[in-house]
mmCIF file of all heavy atoms in Angstrom:
data_model
loop_
_atom_site.group_PDB
_atom_site.id
_atom_site.type_symbol
_atom_site.label_atom_id
_atom_site.label_comp_id
_atom_site.label_asym_id
_atom_site.label_seq_id
_atom_site.Cartn_x
_atom_site.Cartn_y
_atom_site.Cartn_z
ATOM 1 N N THR A 121 1.277 20.824 21.200
ATOM 2 C CA THR A 121 2.327 21.744 20.752
ATOM 3 C C THR A 121 2.238 23.053 21.550
ATOM 4 O O THR A 121 1.138 23.504 21.867
ATOM 5 C CB THR A 121 2.158 22.064 19.246
ATOM 6 O OG1 THR A 121 0.816 22.489 19.007
ATOM 7 C CG2 THR A 121 2.463 20.863 18.380
ATOM 8 N N PRO A 122 3.384 23.651 21.876
ATOM 9 C CA PRO A 122 3.355 24.926 22.612
ATOM 10 C C PRO A 122 3.208 26.102 21.647
ATOM 11 O O PRO A 122 4.134 26.431 20.900
ATOM 12 C CB PRO A 122 4.730 24.945 23.294
ATOM 13 C CG PRO A 122 5.608 24.115 22.429
ATOM 14 C CD PRO A 122 4.756 23.167 21.656
ATOM 15 N N HIS A 123 2.028 26.713 21.634
ATOM 16 C CA HIS A 123 1.745 27.784 20.669
ATOM 17 C C HIS A 123 0.676 28.686 21.269
ATOM 18 O O HIS A 123 -0.099 28.239 22.122
ATOM 19 C CB HIS A 123 1.263 27.147 19.363
ATOM 20 C CG HIS A 123 1.140 28.100 18.213
ATOM 21 N ND1 HIS A 123 2.168 28.940 17.835
ATOM 22 C CD2 HIS A 123 0.135 28.343 17.344
ATOM 23 C CE1 HIS A 123 1.771 29.656 16.798
ATOM 24 N NE2 HIS A 123 0.544 29.317 16.490
ATOM 25 N N ASP A 124 0.636 29.927 20.836
ATOM 26 C CA ASP A 124 -0.312 30.858 21.449
ATOM 27 C C ASP A 124 -1.729 30.717 20.877
ATOM 28 O O ASP A 124 -2.319 31.671 20.369
ATOM 29 C CB ASP A 124 0.181 32.303 21.359
ATOM 30 C CG ASP A 124 0.443 32.735 19.932
ATOM 31 O OD1 ASP A 124 0.335 31.881 19.029
ATOM 32 O OD2 ASP A 124 0.756 33.912 19.714
ATOM 33 N N THR A 144 4.119 22.072 12.972
ATOM 34 C CA THR A 144 4.353 23.504 12.730
ATOM 35 C C THR A 144 3.712 24.293 13.864
ATOM 36 O O THR A 144 2.965 23.749 14.667
ATOM 37 C CB THR A 144 3.735 23.968 11.390
ATOM 38 O OG1 THR A 144 2.319 23.887 11.466
ATOM 39 C CG2 THR A 144 4.240 23.152 10.225
ATOM 40 N N ASP A 145 3.990 25.586 13.899
ATOM 41 C CA ASP A 145 3.458 26.460 14.946
ATOM 42 C C ASP A 145 3.867 25.949 16.320
ATOM 43 O O ASP A 145 3.023 25.598 17.150
ATOM 44 C CB ASP A 145 1.927 26.608 14.815
ATOM 45 C CG ASP A 145 1.550 27.191 13.461
ATOM 46 O OD1 ASP A 145 1.676 26.460 12.469
ATOM 47 O OD2 ASP A 145 1.171 28.383 13.403
ATOM 48 N N ILE A 146 5.177 25.858 16.506
ATOM 49 C CA ILE A 146 5.701 25.393 17.787
ATOM 50 C C ILE A 146 6.705 26.425 18.315
ATOM 51 O O ILE A 146 7.693 26.735 17.661
ATOM 52 C CB ILE A 146 6.331 23.977 17.679
ATOM 53 C CG1 ILE A 146 7.163 23.800 16.412
ATOM 54 C CG2 ILE A 146 5.268 22.920 17.719
ATOM 55 C CD1 ILE A 146 7.663 22.394 16.195
ATOM 56 N N GLY A 147 6.400 26.936 19.493
ATOM 57 C CA GLY A 147 7.233 27.981 20.077
ATOM 58 C C GLY A 147 8.572 27.466 20.558
ATOM 59 O O GLY A 147 9.587 28.170 20.509
ATOM 60 N N HIS A 148 8.591 26.247 21.052
ATOM 61 C CA HIS A 148 9.851 25.625 21.454
ATOM 62 C C HIS A 148 9.709 24.116 21.358
ATOM 63 O O HIS A 148 8.599 23.592 21.215
ATOM 64 C CB HIS A 148 10.261 26.077 22.871
ATOM 65 C CG HIS A 148 9.336 25.590 23.944
ATOM 66 N ND1 HIS A 148 8.120 26.197 24.212
ATOM 67 C CD2 HIS A 148 9.434 24.561 24.811
ATOM 68 C CE1 HIS A 148 7.517 25.564 25.204
ATOM 69 N NE2 HIS A 148 8.289 24.562 25.595
ATOM 70 N N VAL A 149 10.824 23.436 21.445
ATOM 71 C CA VAL A 149 10.812 21.985 21.288
ATOM 72 C C VAL A 149 10.560 21.325 22.642
ATOM 73 O O VAL A 149 11.207 21.667 23.633
ATOM 74 C CB VAL A 149 12.154 21.497 20.699
ATOM 75 C CG1 VAL A 149 12.160 19.979 20.583
ATOM 76 C CG2 VAL A 149 12.386 22.135 19.343
ATOM 77 N N ILE A 153 7.086 16.580 21.503
ATOM 78 C CA ILE A 153 7.314 16.777 20.060
ATOM 79 C C ILE A 153 8.411 15.823 19.578
ATOM 80 O O ILE A 153 8.249 15.144 18.569
ATOM 81 C CB ILE A 153 7.679 18.248 19.759
ATOM 82 C CG1 ILE A 153 6.451 19.139 19.996
ATOM 83 C CG2 ILE A 153 8.187 18.417 18.339
ATOM 84 C CD1 ILE A 153 6.718 20.631 19.886
ATOM 85 N N GLU A 166 8.301 22.996 11.010
ATOM 86 C CA GLU A 166 8.330 24.452 10.928
ATOM 87 C C GLU A 166 9.769 24.981 10.915
ATOM 88 O O GLU A 166 10.618 24.544 11.687
ATOM 89 C CB GLU A 166 7.596 25.059 12.129
ATOM 90 C CG GLU A 166 7.739 26.568 12.186
ATOM 91 C CD GLU A 166 6.669 27.234 13.053
ATOM 92 O OE1 GLU A 166 6.534 26.846 14.222
ATOM 93 O OE2 GLU A 166 5.997 28.129 12.546
ATOM 94 N N ARG A 186 6.263 37.985 20.456
ATOM 95 C CA ARG A 186 5.309 36.871 20.370
ATOM 96 C C ARG A 186 5.906 35.719 19.549
ATOM 97 O O ARG A 186 5.881 34.556 19.952
ATOM 98 C CB ARG A 186 4.022 37.364 19.681
ATOM 99 C CG ARG A 186 2.817 36.499 19.898
ATOM 100 C CD ARG A 186 1.851 36.518 18.704
ATOM 101 N NE ARG A 186 1.804 35.179 18.151
ATOM 102 C CZ ARG A 186 1.507 34.876 16.891
ATOM 103 N NH1 ARG A 186 1.227 35.804 16.027
ATOM 104 N NH2 ARG A 186 1.492 33.626 16.478
ATOM 105 N N ILE A 187 6.479 36.069 18.404
ATOM 106 C CA ILE A 187 7.038 35.040 17.513
ATOM 107 C C ILE A 187 8.233 34.348 18.166
ATOM 108 O O ILE A 187 8.397 33.133 18.080
ATOM 109 C CB ILE A 187 7.437 35.665 16.152
ATOM 110 C CG1 ILE A 187 6.176 36.150 15.420
ATOM 111 C CG2 ILE A 187 8.199 34.668 15.285
ATOM 112 C CD1 ILE A 187 6.443 37.045 14.226
ATOM 113 N N LEU A 188 9.070 35.140 18.840
ATOM 114 C CA LEU A 188 10.278 34.592 19.476
ATOM 115 C C LEU A 188 9.961 33.826 20.763
ATOM 116 O O LEU A 188 10.797 33.067 21.259
ATOM 117 C CB LEU A 188 11.252 35.729 19.817
ATOM 118 C CG LEU A 188 11.946 36.418 18.639
ATOM 119 C CD1 LEU A 188 12.605 37.714 19.105
ATOM 120 C CD2 LEU A 188 12.989 35.509 18.007
ATOM 121 N N GLY A 189 8.760 34.027 21.284
ATOM 122 C CA GLY A 189 8.419 33.499 22.607
ATOM 123 C C GLY A 189 8.231 31.984 22.636
ATOM 124 O O GLY A 189 8.233 31.314 21.605
ATOM 125 N N GLU A 190 8.046 31.491 23.846
ATOM 126 C CA GLU A 190 7.890 30.051 24.113
ATOM 127 C C GLU A 190 6.682 29.445 23.406
ATOM 128 O O GLU A 190 6.591 28.250 23.208
ATOM 129 C CB GLU A 190 7.707 29.845 25.625
ATOM 130 C CG GLU A 190 8.942 30.096 26.452
ATOM 131 C CD GLU A 190 9.838 28.881 26.475
ATOM 132 O OE1 GLU A 190 9.504 27.925 27.188
ATOM 133 O OE2 GLU A 190 10.869 28.884 25.770
ATOM 134 N N ARG A 191 5.709 30.310 23.086
ATOM 135 C CA ARG A 191 4.499 29.844 22.417
ATOM 136 C C ARG A 191 4.341 30.512 21.047
ATOM 137 O O ARG A 191 3.252 30.790 20.583
ATOM 138 C CB ARG A 191 3.273 30.111 23.301
ATOM 139 C CG ARG A 191 3.125 29.101 24.438
ATOM 140 C CD ARG A 191 2.286 29.649 25.587
ATOM 141 N NE ARG A 191 0.943 30.036 25.182
ATOM 142 C CZ ARG A 191 -0.111 29.213 25.137
ATOM 143 N NH1 ARG A 191 0.040 27.941 25.436
ATOM 144 N NH2 ARG A 191 -1.294 29.653 24.787
ATOM 145 N N GLY A 192 5.476 30.790 20.408
ATOM 146 C CA GLY A 192 5.453 31.444 19.103
ATOM 147 C C GLY A 192 5.753 30.464 17.990
ATOM 148 O O GLY A 192 5.008 29.494 17.798
ATOM 149 N N HIS A 193 6.856 30.744 17.272
ATOM 150 C CA HIS A 193 7.197 29.926 16.104
ATOM 151 C C HIS A 193 8.655 29.473 16.157
ATOM 152 O O HIS A 193 9.503 30.133 16.742
ATOM 153 C CB HIS A 193 6.960 30.734 14.831
ATOM 154 C CG HIS A 193 5.506 30.977 14.547
ATOM 155 N ND1 HIS A 193 4.707 30.037 13.952
ATOM 156 C CD2 HIS A 193 4.706 32.046 14.798
ATOM 157 C CE1 HIS A 193 3.475 30.510 13.830
ATOM 158 N NE2 HIS A 193 3.446 31.732 14.344
ATOM 159 N N LEU A 194 8.927 28.373 15.477
ATOM 160 C CA LEU A 194 10.271 27.794 15.493
ATOM 161 C C LEU A 194 11.169 28.473 14.448
ATOM 162 O O LEU A 194 10.764 28.652 13.305
ATOM 163 C CB LEU A 194 10.160 26.298 15.174
ATOM 164 C CG LEU A 194 11.187 25.363 15.792
ATOM 165 C CD1 LEU A 194 11.072 25.390 17.315
ATOM 166 C CD2 LEU A 194 10.991 23.944 15.293
ATOM 167 N N CYS A 195 12.377 28.840 14.857
ATOM 168 C CA CYS A 195 13.318 29.487 13.926
ATOM 169 C C CYS A 195 14.127 28.424 13.170
ATOM 170 O O CYS A 195 14.137 27.245 13.540
ATOM 171 C CB CYS A 195 14.234 30.437 14.687
ATOM 172 S SG CYS A 195 15.361 29.596 15.806
ATOM 173 N N VAL A 198 16.777 26.369 15.347
ATOM 174 C CA VAL A 198 16.236 25.336 16.241
ATOM 175 C C VAL A 198 15.677 24.167 15.425
ATOM 176 O O VAL A 198 15.807 23.008 15.811
ATOM 177 C CB VAL A 198 15.182 25.931 17.210
ATOM 178 C CG1 VAL A 198 14.580 24.846 18.082
ATOM 179 C CG2 VAL A 198 15.820 26.999 18.084
#
Side-chain angles (χ1 to χ4, degrees):
T121 52
H123 189 52
D124 57 355
T144 67
D145 301 72
I146 42 186
H148 67 281
V149 178
I153 291 173
E166 173 161 54
R186 198 211 116 206
I187 294 167
L188 290 167
E190 289 277 284
R191 282 158 59 87
H193 290 279
L194 211 63
C195 67
V198 177

